[in-house]
Amino acid sequence: MAEQPSVLTTTQMLEALHDPANGRVWATLDARYRPVIFGVARRAGLGAEDAADVMQECLTDVVEGYREGRYDRGRGRLRSWIMTIAYRRVTDAIRARYRKADQSPGRRGDSAIGDLPSDGELERAWNAEEERELLSGAMSELLGDPSTSESSKRVFELIHFRAMSPEAVAA
């Protein structure tokens, strides 16, 4: 039986990415990181259109960089490498927004520095987006499983999406 793309480990994915024709693994990488990158860009203050551009540019950089051998597993995790690329793309988009604004009449000299997220802010946003995606995936699986009771589904939703304490949900 073929392995489901959602359960590929990072090691399996990295090995399979060496084959540029392996559309399944590239789709898995895209599905794993696309929503996280988009969410991080939105949390950094970008509008939906700019965040979508950042997401597309970042994933293009990842594909090209991986194929050109720029990712070295010995230097760090894939997640960290992609996060670094995303940070660069987010900051590029924020700077571009300021350059565009500076070309408007009466607007000169504003600095993008204050709007650039710090490494810590980016990592917190990345972690939050990964957790949100993980929970969303779990909720989708839970809702799609006919053997899961409606009450179990409701408990999961209240605790993980509405941030209620288990004690409050039990009451």
Side-chain angles (χ1 to χ4, degrees):
M1 182 155 123
E3 186 168 3
Q4 296 296 320
S6 62
V7 295
L8 280 177
T9 66
T10 300
T11 298
Q12 291 169 321
M13 188 166 54
L14 288 171
E15 289 171 7
L17 286 174
H18 289 296
D19 177 7
N22 188 337
R24 180 179 140 244
V25 75
W26 287 103
T28 299
L29 180 111
D30 183 82
R32 188 177 289 181
Y33 289 103
R34 179 176 292 273
V36 174
I37 295 165
F38 181 81
V40 167
R42 292 288 286 155
R43 285 175 184 256
L46 297 178
E49 188 175 309
D50 288 338
D53 288 346
V54 162
M55 176 185 62
Q56 190 63 41
E57 292 165 359
C58 180
L59 289 169
T60 299
D61 288 351
V62 167
V63 170
E64 290 173 356
Y66 195 84
R67 287 181 178 165
E68 293 168 3
R70 283 186 266 153
Y71 171 68
D72 177 4
R73 190 163 194 189
R75 293 181 57 201
R77 297 173 61 195
L78 178 66
R79 170 192 189 270
S80 299
W81 183 62
I82 294 173
M83 189 168 47
T84 299
I85 293 169
Y87 180 78
R88 188 182 74 239
R89 286 300 183 172
V90 165
T91 57
D92 288 349
I94 292 170
R95 287 182 181 120
R97 182 174 60 196
Y98 272 84
R99 279 192 301 275
K100 185 177 178 182
D102 276 351
Q103 294 172 3
S104 303
R107 291 237 15 216
R108 290 255 185 240
D110 286 344
S111 174
I113 292 173
D115 284 346
L116 296 178
S118 69
D119 289 347
E121 290 169 326
L122 178 70
E123 187 161 0
R124 283 188 295 281
W126 188 276
N127 291 339
E129 287 301 316
E130 278 186 327
E131 183 175 321
R132 188 184 63 73
E133 278 303 305
L134 181 65
L135 288 173
S136 178
M139 188 66 177
S140 292
E141 284 189 36
L142 187 69
L143 291 175
D145 184 349
S147 68
T148 305
S149 71
E150 288 303 315
S151 62
S152 293
K153 293 175 186 179
R154 183 74 177 141
V155 166
F156 185 86
E157 177 189 0
L158 292 173
I159 291 173
H160 294 290
F161 291 102
R162 308 235 189 244
M164 293 177 66
S165 71
E167 295 78 18
V169 172

